[in-house]
Every structure is written in structure tokens, then in C-alpha cells.
Amino acid sequence: MNMNRRTFLTRSALAAAAIGFPASSWAKVKGANDTIRVAVIGFNGRGRDAVDNFSRKEMGTRVVALCDVDQKVLDREIEKFKNRGESVTPFQDIRKLLESKEIDVIAIATPNHWHALGAIWGIQAGKDVYVEKPVSHNVWEGRKIVEAARKYKRIVQTGTQCRSSYAIREMVEWVRSGNLGKILVARGTCYKRRPSIGKVSSPQPIPEGIDYDLWCGPAPMKPLMREKLHYDWHWDFETGNGDLGNQGIHQMDIARWFLGKNALSPRVFSIGGRVGYEDDGNTPNTQLIFHDYKPAPLIFEVRGLPARAGAKEMDKFMNSAVGVLIHCEGGHVLVPNYTTAIAYDKSGQEIKRLQGADNHYENFIKAVRSRKSSDLNADIWEGHLSSALCHTGNISHRLGKTQSTEVIKEKIQGNAEASETFARMLEHLELNEVDLNKTPLTMGEFLRMDPRVEKFIGNRKADELLSREYRAPFVVPERV
């Protein structure tokens, strides 16, 4: 049964008590020599990195608990600890884990649809939280994590490692000081090969050892209509956010950082689709997002098909497949990875190169010890904004309609940056032998937003997609 979050308004205030959380915080300020006890929730992907980092003794942390709804994944990781002579407590249900007073910090690396609820429950239970990107599955619940972090005075770090890059940080300051003149466009690219995930004709069996009710959590508990439960959830809007919210969130965050924008864009639209194959995914594998910031827009490009039909390599834009390009009056900056930022003059001559980054997990632990969220390189507020930019772009797509290429060109006529980006998208699809007469692209709705309240202007359907209907008892509370 699905229930709207507002239906749970009165009960949500008691959410913490309902699963056994006390009113007061269990976590205590840790001194420089105290070991911080960490629980990692979800580690069939990014969570393994968290396990490895928080197991480093020199950081003053120790992994004391592991949680995963897949018993096989859980047993496999527990066995690794046993083989090293280390003890760790296993949990399959996050609610049981959060009842433990032997845990100071939780690291969340579950599928996206669990990020916000897991973080909020953890905060309410008195834990500090490291939550992977995107921090939310939708805009509304991201704001709720921020509210919870502030209310309970918890340290909450976003897993956008680029924020701990001093190379990027110094380049941001250098560019915003005017060394290349005004920024004209901030552009993120996510050109990553994403082949078909296959197409099934009937519901697939849930793999043995998985608590599917817990796996679905806040999302609808529907029959599994794809070959793989794990990872391919990224390409289903019920649980994931496409590559925009998978890889793209990193580059979206860096581009917004350069622009210095601390609110959602006042206008956004999307052009794209899932083309080149027909499978069980419903998120775009080819997409253009235009955030109409002033004076310089933020443009994001997603390409999941290769450079051309049959090729293994991916396209590159100005020598980068996955990166950020800041176009300025006096040249441009390329950020090809988390540790490098390179500035070029108008002739393309390299004039400045910065490299290096700190450990993002270490930065989090530093703030856990100091109890100062200002010590965080990626406070939850930053994570919320950058995640929400991905979500609003996807909302435009989801409300859009398939249109002919000529109609799309007419609708963006006069927008030079969007038109140029769209023209390159069409060239890319032609090289991949995509027939847009048979599988036309979706022209997303042009959406206007009031960034102060994070709601769209005059579009009820778009506002409805800012949140979702939650499945009891996995309800993100209205009042955190």
C-alpha cells in the first residue's frame, strides 16, 4: 500500500520513537585519541570504499557494524573481517542497527531511494552521517536531511569527493577572482558507456537472501521487471536518477561551485531520451540539461552511447569525456577528474595547472571530532543543492513529450548555448545510427522555480515530482 507523506504528518513526528530511538543524542564528543565507531550501510558498490577508509587505524576510526539487505553480500564482507581477526556486528535491517549505542557514525551507500530516509533516521538516532551522492532521491527529501542535521546538530557529509580537492578549490577561487574574465558558461559532461540492461517479458525472481521489502523501503514494492536487481536500479526512476544523478552529480557539483550559486536555478529544461536500444530502463541515456542561471548558465550533457556505432571509445568534448569545462571571456578551465584543474588562454595554451586532493573521509572525521559543520568540505547543504539540480532536470524530462527534431530546434531557437549543444547531440546520435523518426527525443517542459521555497511556479504536476508517495513504514517525515 502506498501512502502520501502528508497522510503521515501526525505520526511522522513520532517516527524516531516508533523504531526505538531516544529523544536525546547518544553520540558524545570524541577527543583526538578516541576511536570513532563506524557502521557502513550498503557496500555492494561505493560502500566498499567507505569500509576500506574507515578501517584505517591511522584515521582513528573502526568499522564495528555492517548492514546490507542482501545476506550474501553481508556474509561475504563479514567473512573478510573474520579472516583479519576483526569482529564486526552484522545487521540486515537499518532500524536494528540504529538502536545500537555502540555506533557513533553511519556511512550510507545504499541505492539512491534509501539515502534520505537512512540519513534522517541516523541523525534522529544521534549519529553523525556520511551519505553518498546524490544525497536524495528527490528535492523535498534532500531539504529534510538538511533540516534534520541542523535541528539535531549532527555532522553530515556528502560523498562528493571533489569538494576535498584543493586543486579544484584553488582554481575556483582563481577563476572567480577574475583571472580569465567573466564566466560565460559552466558545462558538465558525463560521457560514459551504458549498454542495454536487457528486456524481460515477465517478473523476475528476487535473488535468494535478499529482504525485498527492506530493499524497496521508501519506494513502491513492485515485481522486479529487469534482469539484475543490483546496480541497474540506477536506470529506473523509482529507485535511481539516471546517469545525471549517478556519475553526473559530481560534475554538476563542480560546475555549480565555479558559478558560486547557492540556490536552485530559476529556470530549467531537458532534452533527451533513451535511444539506441530498447530495454527495461526508463532514464535517459542521452540528455541535455539547461539550468538558466544568470549571468552564466549551467549546461549538463549525458551520453551513454559510444562515439559511433560499434566503437568502444566514448566521445570527448574539448579533450574530456567526463569532466567540467568553465568557458570564460579570456579562456577556459578543464577539470577532468577530482584531483586536477587546468586553465587555458583563448588560444588554447595551458597557463595554469593545479593538482592534489585531501582524503574526503578524513575531512569528515575531522569535523566529527571538532563538532563544527564548517569544517566539512561537503556539508549536506552543498549536497542537497547539487543533487536537487539533477532532480529538477529529470523532472523536466519526465513531464516532457516526444517531439520531432525540427520542433525541438524551434523551441530552443535564440538560445545559442543550448542550440549548439543540441546540434552536437544530433551528430552523436547520427554516428550511432539512431533513427530519431522512429525513436524521437523528449522535449522536456520549461520549468520556472522559486529558489527561496524550492517549488515550481505555476506547475502543479512538476511540484508533485519534487517529492513522492512513500510506502509505510518507510516514510520520510514531514517534521524531522
Side-chain angles (χ1 to χ4, degrees):
M1 177 180 179
N2 288 342
M3 297 190 184
N4 190 284
R5 59 183 174 84
R6 292 177 178 83
T7 306
F8 278 81
L9 180 60
T10 54
R11 275 178 279 178
S12 64
L14 301 175
I19 56 175
F21 300 159
S24 60
S25 168
W26 289 328
K28 298 179 181 179
V29 177
K30 292 286 183 177
N33 297 319
D34 292 327
T35 297
I36 292 175
R37 302 163 298 179
V38 181
V40 179
I41 303 164
F43 40 85
N44 200 39
R46 282 293 307 160
R48 288 195 294 270
D49 193 53
V51 171
D52 291 343
N53 273 274
F54 288 124
S55 295
R56 292 167 50 220
K57 294 180 180 179
E58 62 269 28
M59 197 155 64
T61 55
R62 182 165 65 90
V63 175
V64 298
L66 294 171
C67 180
D68 201 289
V69 299
D70 188 331
Q71 191 65 50
K72 290 183 179 179
V73 172
L74 183 59
D75 290 344
R76 183 181 65 211
E77 201 65 31
I78 293 294
E79 187 66 22
K80 293 179 183 177
F81 275 76
K82 287 183 178 178
N83 291 340
R84 295 195 299 264
E86 301 174 23
S87 63
V88 63
T89 304
F91 293 91
Q92 197 172 25
D93 191 329
I94 183 176
R95 293 167 294 187
K96 295 295 183 182
L97 179 148
L98 293 175
E99 292 174 358
S100 173
K101 298 181 181 180
E102 305 305 313
I103 296 168
D104 306 305
V105 163
I106 62 171
I108 300 172
T110 61
N112 297 358
H113 65 290
W114 255 109
H115 285 184
L117 185 59
I120 291 168
W121 278 356
I123 291 166
Q124 290 174 329
K127 318 299 185 187
D128 294 315
V129 178
Y130 182 102
V131 57
E132 270 299 341
K133 51 71 197 172
V135 301
S136 57
H137 183 256
N138 60 60
V139 175
W140 177 82
E141 64 184 26
R143 169 67 70 165
K144 291 296 153 183
I145 311 175
V146 176
E147 291 178 7
R150 302 300 185 249
K151 177 178 179 179
Y152 295 97
K153 295 180 174 57
R154 294 292 94 199
I155 302 299
V156 185
Q157 174 95 302
T158 305
T160 43
Q161 295 85 359
C162 55
R163 289 281 174 159
S164 286
S165 168
Y166 48 81
I168 300 175
R169 185 183 310 117
E170 291 175 22
M171 189 63 81
V172 167
E173 294 171 356
W174 187 78
V175 169
R176 286 169 61 181
S177 295
N179 286 285
L180 286 179
K182 294 180 181 178
I183 296 176
L184 303 177
V185 179
R187 186 187 303 273
T189 59
C190 175
Y191 299 173
K192 295 193 76 170
R193 183 75 175 101
R194 300 299 184 189
S196 167
I197 64 171
K199 191 166 182 62
V200 301
S201 58
S202 60
Q204 301 299 292
I206 305 303
E208 184 180 353
I210 293 177
D211 186 324
Y212 191 55
D213 178 51
L214 279 175
W215 190 94
C216 293
M221 190 172 172
K222 296 180 179 179
L224 177 62
M225 293 299 295
R226 62 177 181 272
E227 292 177 4
K228 285 168 45 183
L229 174 66
H230 291 316
Y231 197 78
D232 287 345
W233 53 262
H234 280 295
W235 323 127
D236 181 353
F237 274 127
E238 294 283 14
T239 51
N241 306 98
D243 235 344
L244 190 60
N246 178 31
Q247 172 63 51
I249 172 63
H250 290 292
Q251 286 69 44
M252 183 75 78
D253 185 59
I254 296 170
R256 183 179 66 81
W257 193 4
F258 271 94
L259 290 176
K261 297 299 182 180
N262 292 307
L264 299 187
S265 65
R267 185 170 175 265
V268 62
F269 65 86
S270 166
I271 301 171
R274 195 170 185 86
V275 293
Y277 47 73
E278 183 180 353
D279 66 0
D280 289 316
N282 56 33
T283 63
N285 65 7
T286 303
Q287 192 175 20
L288 177 170
I289 300 293
F290 191 94
H291 284 290
D292 199 10
Y293 283 119
K294 302 297 183 184
L298 192 165
I299 301 176
F300 204 91
E301 301 179 54
V302 172
R303 294 186 187 179
L305 301 178
R308 62 192 63 81
K312 293 183 179 180
E313 70 273 12
M314 294 301 296
D315 274 346
K316 290 186 178 181
F317 181 67
M318 297 181 73
N319 298 318
S320 179
V322 177
V324 173
L325 287 141
I326 308 300
H327 306 272
C328 303
E329 292 175 314
H332 71 277
V333 168
L334 169 64
V335 181
N337 54 54
Y338 304 150
T339 64
T340 307
I342 313 162
Y344 301 86
D345 64 18
K346 292 187 73 172
S347 68
Q349 185 71 31
E350 181 178 322
I351 57 176
K352 190 177 184 67
R353 179 182 290 258
L354 298 171
Q355 289 184 297
D358 293 320
N359 185 291
H360 202 52
Y361 298 97
E362 288 181 1
N363 171 250
F364 170 59
I365 294 303
K366 172 186 175 182
V368 168
R369 295 189 188 281
S370 71
R371 308 311 305 161
K372 296 178 181 178
S373 60
S374 58
D375 283 342
L376 290 171
N377 288 336
D379 176 65
I380 186 59
W381 169 249
E382 302 289 356
H384 162 57
L385 287 178
S386 295
S387 299
L389 289 179
C390 299
H391 302 328
T392 57
N394 277 331
I395 289 172
S396 170
H397 171 80
R398 294 174 70 182
L399 292 176
K401 297 179 180 179
T402 55
Q403 302 277 4
S404 71
T405 298
E406 293 308 313
V407 168
I408 294 175
K409 285 180 179 179
E410 289 176 8
K411 290 194 173 185
I412 61 174
Q413 189 176 15
N415 186 327
E417 296 90 353
S419 295
E420 182 276 334
T421 306
F422 183 54
R424 287 190 292 101
M425 177 192 288
L426 294 179
E427 292 175 6
H428 165 71
L429 294 177
E430 184 177 358
L431 288 171
N432 275 279
E433 302 174 0
V434 174
D435 186 347
L436 293 179
N437 292 315
K438 294 182 179 179
T439 55
L441 296 172
T442 295
M443 179 71 238
E445 285 206 24
F446 292 87
L447 300 174
R448 292 184 301 129
M449 169 164 280
D450 183 345
R452 297 171 301 171
V453 295
E454 296 182 351
K455 289 189 176 181
F456 292 108
I457 298 172
N459 196 316
R460 180 180 56 81
K461 289 184 178 180
D463 273 346
E464 289 175 355
L465 292 178
L466 290 171
S467 183
R468 76 181 310 165
E469 292 194 356
Y470 294 92
R471 191 173 64 92
F474 308 102
V475 180
V476 174
E478 183 90 28
R479 298 178 183 176
V480 296

mmCIF file of all heavy atoms in Angstrom, residues 112-137:
data_model
loop_
_atom_site.group_PDB
_atom_site.id
_atom_site.type_symbol
_atom_site.label_atom_id
_atom_site.label_comp_id
_atom_site.label_asym_id
_atom_site.label_seq_id
_atom_site.Cartn_x
_atom_site.Cartn_y
_atom_site.Cartn_z
ATOM 1 N N ASN A 112 19.889 4.936 -4.252
ATOM 2 C CA ASN A 112 19.525 6.327 -4.005
ATOM 3 C C ASN A 112 18.235 6.518 -3.222
ATOM 4 O O ASN A 112 18.113 7.450 -2.416
ATOM 5 C CB ASN A 112 19.385 7.070 -5.341
ATOM 6 C CG ASN A 112 20.672 7.135 -6.121
ATOM 7 O OD1 ASN A 112 21.712 6.655 -5.678
ATOM 8 N ND2 ASN A 112 20.626 7.732 -7.302
ATOM 9 N N HIS A 113 17.252 5.649 -3.449
ATOM 10 C CA HIS A 113 15.946 5.857 -2.830
ATOM 11 C C HIS A 113 15.978 5.680 -1.312
ATOM 12 O O HIS A 113 15.037 6.090 -0.624
ATOM 13 C CB HIS A 113 14.899 4.926 -3.449
ATOM 14 C CG HIS A 113 15.133 3.462 -3.199
ATOM 15 N ND1 HIS A 113 16.167 2.765 -3.773
ATOM 16 C CD2 HIS A 113 14.470 2.563 -2.424
ATOM 17 C CE1 HIS A 113 16.122 1.491 -3.391
ATOM 18 N NE2 HIS A 113 15.101 1.349 -2.558
ATOM 19 N N TRP A 114 17.072 5.124 -0.772
ATOM 20 C CA TRP A 114 17.219 4.941 0.675
ATOM 21 C C TRP A 114 18.074 6.029 1.329
ATOM 22 O O TRP A 114 18.126 6.107 2.557
ATOM 23 C CB TRP A 114 17.853 3.570 0.966
ATOM 24 C CG TRP A 114 16.893 2.536 1.482
ATOM 25 C CD1 TRP A 114 16.426 1.435 0.833
ATOM 26 C CD2 TRP A 114 16.301 2.487 2.790
ATOM 27 N NE1 TRP A 114 15.579 0.706 1.642
ATOM 28 C CE2 TRP A 114 15.492 1.332 2.857
ATOM 29 C CE3 TRP A 114 16.371 3.308 3.916
ATOM 30 C CZ2 TRP A 114 14.763 0.977 3.987
ATOM 31 C CZ3 TRP A 114 15.647 2.956 5.052
ATOM 32 C CH2 TRP A 114 14.852 1.809 5.076
ATOM 33 N N HIS A 115 18.768 6.847 0.549
ATOM 34 C CA HIS A 115 19.739 7.788 1.117
ATOM 35 C C HIS A 115 19.120 8.719 2.149
ATOM 36 O O HIS A 115 19.631 8.867 3.271
ATOM 37 C CB HIS A 115 20.395 8.612 0.012
ATOM 38 C CG HIS A 115 21.402 7.848 -0.779
ATOM 39 N ND1 HIS A 115 22.164 8.417 -1.775
ATOM 40 C CD2 HIS A 115 21.784 6.540 -0.722
ATOM 41 C CE1 HIS A 115 22.962 7.503 -2.299
ATOM 42 N NE2 HIS A 115 22.740 6.358 -1.684
ATOM 43 N N ALA A 116 18.044 9.387 1.788
ATOM 44 C CA ALA A 116 17.482 10.415 2.669
ATOM 45 C C ALA A 116 16.893 9.818 3.936
ATOM 46 O O ALA A 116 17.166 10.295 5.047
ATOM 47 C CB ALA A 116 16.425 11.228 1.931
ATOM 48 N N LEU A 117 16.079 8.784 3.807
ATOM 49 C CA LEU A 117 15.457 8.198 4.989
ATOM 50 C C LEU A 117 16.508 7.612 5.919
ATOM 51 O O LEU A 117 16.446 7.797 7.143
ATOM 52 C CB LEU A 117 14.449 7.127 4.583
ATOM 53 C CG LEU A 117 13.647 6.524 5.744
ATOM 54 C CD1 LEU A 117 12.858 7.609 6.480
ATOM 55 C CD2 LEU A 117 12.709 5.422 5.249
ATOM 56 N N GLY A 118 17.498 6.923 5.352
ATOM 57 C CA GLY A 118 18.568 6.374 6.183
ATOM 58 C C GLY A 118 19.322 7.460 6.911
ATOM 59 O O GLY A 118 19.641 7.334 8.104
ATOM 60 N N ALA A 119 19.606 8.569 6.221
ATOM 61 C CA ALA A 119 20.324 9.679 6.848
ATOM 62 C C ALA A 119 19.498 10.322 7.949
ATOM 63 O O ALA A 119 20.004 10.597 9.041
ATOM 64 C CB ALA A 119 20.697 10.716 5.795
ATOM 65 N N ILE A 120 18.222 10.555 7.692
ATOM 66 C CA ILE A 120 17.360 11.205 8.686
ATOM 67 C C ILE A 120 17.188 10.320 9.905
ATOM 68 O O ILE A 120 17.292 10.786 11.046
ATOM 69 C CB ILE A 120 16.007 11.574 8.059
ATOM 70 C CG1 ILE A 120 16.193 12.704 7.037
ATOM 71 C CG2 ILE A 120 14.999 11.992 9.122
ATOM 72 C CD1 ILE A 120 14.980 12.957 6.160
ATOM 73 N N TRP A 121 16.928 9.045 9.693
ATOM 74 C CA TRP A 121 16.812 8.134 10.837
ATOM 75 C C TRP A 121 18.119 8.107 11.643
ATOM 76 O O TRP A 121 18.100 8.088 12.871
ATOM 77 C CB TRP A 121 16.471 6.729 10.346
ATOM 78 C CG TRP A 121 15.010 6.514 10.075
ATOM 79 C CD1 TRP A 121 13.992 7.399 10.287
ATOM 80 C CD2 TRP A 121 14.423 5.324 9.545
ATOM 81 N NE1 TRP A 121 12.800 6.835 9.916
ATOM 82 C CE2 TRP A 121 13.029 5.556 9.456
ATOM 83 C CE3 TRP A 121 14.927 4.105 9.122
ATOM 84 C CZ2 TRP A 121 12.134 4.590 8.970
ATOM 85 C CZ3 TRP A 121 14.041 3.144 8.635
ATOM 86 C CH2 TRP A 121 12.669 3.382 8.569
ATOM 87 N N GLY A 122 19.241 8.107 10.930
ATOM 88 C CA GLY A 122 20.527 8.105 11.625
ATOM 89 C C GLY A 122 20.730 9.361 12.447
ATOM 90 O O GLY A 122 21.189 9.309 13.592
ATOM 91 N N ILE A 123 20.396 10.499 11.873
ATOM 92 C CA ILE A 123 20.514 11.776 12.589
ATOM 93 C C ILE A 123 19.620 11.774 13.819
ATOM 94 O O ILE A 123 20.043 12.183 14.913
ATOM 95 C CB ILE A 123 20.137 12.935 11.646
ATOM 96 C CG1 ILE A 123 21.193 13.096 10.545
ATOM 97 C CG2 ILE A 123 19.984 14.241 12.421
ATOM 98 C CD1 ILE A 123 20.747 13.973 9.390
ATOM 99 N N GLN A 124 18.393 11.324 13.663
ATOM 100 C CA GLN A 124 17.468 11.267 14.797
ATOM 101 C C GLN A 124 17.966 10.329 15.887
ATOM 102 O O GLN A 124 17.675 10.521 17.071
ATOM 103 C CB GLN A 124 16.084 10.819 14.317
ATOM 104 C CG GLN A 124 15.360 11.860 13.468
ATOM 105 C CD GLN A 124 14.061 11.334 12.901
ATOM 106 O OE1 GLN A 124 13.923 10.136 12.617
ATOM 107 N NE2 GLN A 124 13.083 12.215 12.733
ATOM 108 N N ALA A 125 18.734 9.324 15.491
ATOM 109 C CA ALA A 125 19.281 8.376 16.464
ATOM 110 C C ALA A 125 20.578 8.869 17.089
ATOM 111 O O ALA A 125 21.222 8.150 17.854
ATOM 112 C CB ALA A 125 19.516 7.021 15.790
ATOM 113 N N GLY A 126 20.973 10.089 16.756
ATOM 114 C CA GLY A 126 22.164 10.668 17.375
ATOM 115 C C GLY A 126 23.468 10.321 16.693
ATOM 116 O O GLY A 126 24.541 10.499 17.281
ATOM 117 N N LYS A 127 23.395 9.854 15.448
ATOM 118 C CA LYS A 127 24.624 9.501 14.722
ATOM 119 C C LYS A 127 25.036 10.640 13.795
ATOM 120 O O LYS A 127 24.198 11.357 13.253
ATOM 121 C CB LYS A 127 24.410 8.244 13.868
ATOM 122 C CG LYS A 127 23.622 7.125 14.519
ATOM 123 C CD LYS A 127 24.271 6.582 15.776
ATOM 124 C CE LYS A 127 23.455 5.384 16.288
ATOM 125 N NZ LYS A 127 23.950 4.926 17.612
ATOM 126 N N ASP A 128 26.336 10.790 13.582
ATOM 127 C CA ASP A 128 26.820 11.620 12.500
ATOM 128 C C ASP A 128 26.770 10.767 11.233
ATOM 129 O O ASP A 128 26.872 9.535 11.295
ATOM 130 C CB ASP A 128 28.237 12.103 12.781
ATOM 131 C CG ASP A 128 28.292 13.047 13.976
ATOM 132 O OD1 ASP A 128 27.428 13.940 14.054
ATOM 133 O OD2 ASP A 128 29.187 12.876 14.823
ATOM 134 N N VAL A 129 26.628 11.432 10.090
ATOM 135 C CA VAL A 129 26.306 10.695 8.867
ATOM 136 C C VAL A 129 27.202 11.096 7.701
ATOM 137 O O VAL A 129 27.386 12.284 7.421
ATOM 138 C CB VAL A 129 24.831 10.928 8.465
ATOM 139 C CG1 VAL A 129 24.509 10.195 7.168
ATOM 140 C CG2 VAL A 129 23.888 10.486 9.583
ATOM 141 N N TYR A 130 27.744 10.093 7.029
ATOM 142 C CA TYR A 130 28.390 10.263 5.723
ATOM 143 C C TYR A 130 27.443 9.620 4.725
ATOM 144 O O TYR A 130 27.220 8.402 4.766
ATOM 145 C CB TYR A 130 29.752 9.574 5.704
ATOM 146 C CG TYR A 130 30.524 9.731 4.418
ATOM 147 C CD1 TYR A 130 31.573 10.644 4.321
ATOM 148 C CD2 TYR A 130 30.211 8.971 3.278
ATOM 149 C CE1 TYR A 130 32.293 10.791 3.138
ATOM 150 C CE2 TYR A 130 30.917 9.116 2.100
ATOM 151 C CZ TYR A 130 31.962 10.023 2.037
ATOM 152 O OH TYR A 130 32.660 10.173 0.856
ATOM 153 N N VAL A 131 26.855 10.420 3.813
ATOM 154 C CA VAL A 131 25.868 9.882 2.879
ATOM 155 C C VAL A 131 26.351 10.070 1.451
ATOM 156 O O VAL A 131 26.788 11.150 1.054
ATOM 157 C CB VAL A 131 24.480 10.531 3.095
ATOM 158 C CG1 VAL A 131 24.533 12.048 2.966
ATOM 159 C CG2 VAL A 131 23.440 9.937 2.145
ATOM 160 N N GLU A 132 26.305 8.980 0.698
ATOM 161 C CA GLU A 132 26.771 9.017 -0.680
ATOM 162 C C GLU A 132 25.893 9.897 -1.548
ATOM 163 O O GLU A 132 24.783 10.261 -1.193
ATOM 164 C CB GLU A 132 26.835 7.603 -1.262
ATOM 165 C CG GLU A 132 28.180 6.914 -1.057
ATOM 166 C CD GLU A 132 29.344 7.652 -1.722
ATOM 167 O OE1 GLU A 132 29.101 8.484 -2.629
ATOM 168 O OE2 GLU A 132 30.487 7.393 -1.346
ATOM 169 N N LYS A 133 26.441 10.249 -2.692
ATOM 170 C CA LYS A 133 25.729 11.074 -3.666
ATOM 171 C C LYS A 133 24.812 10.202 -4.527
ATOM 172 O O LYS A 133 25.070 9.006 -4.686
ATOM 173 C CB LYS A 133 26.730 11.849 -4.518
ATOM 174 C CG LYS A 133 27.840 10.981 -5.141
ATOM 175 C CD LYS A 133 27.334 10.083 -6.239
ATOM 176 C CE LYS A 133 28.260 8.968 -6.601
ATOM 177 N NZ LYS A 133 27.627 8.003 -7.546
ATOM 178 N N PRO A 134 23.728 10.757 -5.083
ATOM 179 C CA PRO A 134 23.125 12.005 -4.635
ATOM 180 C C PRO A 134 22.553 11.790 -3.244
ATOM 181 O O PRO A 134 22.148 10.671 -2.902
ATOM 182 C CB PRO A 134 22.017 12.247 -5.667
ATOM 183 C CG PRO A 134 21.617 10.866 -6.098
ATOM 184 C CD PRO A 134 22.891 10.069 -6.098
ATOM 185 N N VAL A 135 22.514 12.824 -2.443
ATOM 186 C CA VAL A 135 22.090 12.637 -1.051
ATOM 187 C C VAL A 135 20.610 12.296 -0.958
ATOM 188 O O VAL A 135 20.142 11.833 0.080
ATOM 189 C CB VAL A 135 22.384 13.879 -0.200
ATOM 190 C CG1 VAL A 135 23.865 14.206 -0.216
ATOM 191 C CG2 VAL A 135 21.565 15.101 -0.651
ATOM 192 N N SER A 136 19.870 12.535 -2.034
ATOM 193 C CA SER A 136 18.423 12.352 -2.014
ATOM 194 C C SER A 136 17.961 11.701 -3.306
ATOM 195 O O SER A 136 18.678 11.677 -4.307
ATOM 196 C CB SER A 136 17.734 13.715 -1.862
ATOM 197 O OG SER A 136 18.140 14.576 -2.921
ATOM 198 N N HIS A 137 16.745 11.213 -3.271
ATOM 199 C CA HIS A 137 16.108 10.698 -4.483
ATOM 200 C C HIS A 137 15.210 11.748 -5.111
ATOM 201 O O HIS A 137 14.858 11.665 -6.286
ATOM 202 C CB HIS A 137 15.285 9.441 -4.145
ATOM 203 C CG HIS A 137 14.654 8.796 -5.332
ATOM 204 N ND1 HIS A 137 13.311 8.904 -5.623
ATOM 205 C CD2 HIS A 137 15.186 8.053 -6.341
ATOM 206 C CE1 HIS A 137 13.039 8.251 -6.730
ATOM 207 N NE2 HIS A 137 14.164 7.714 -7.190
#
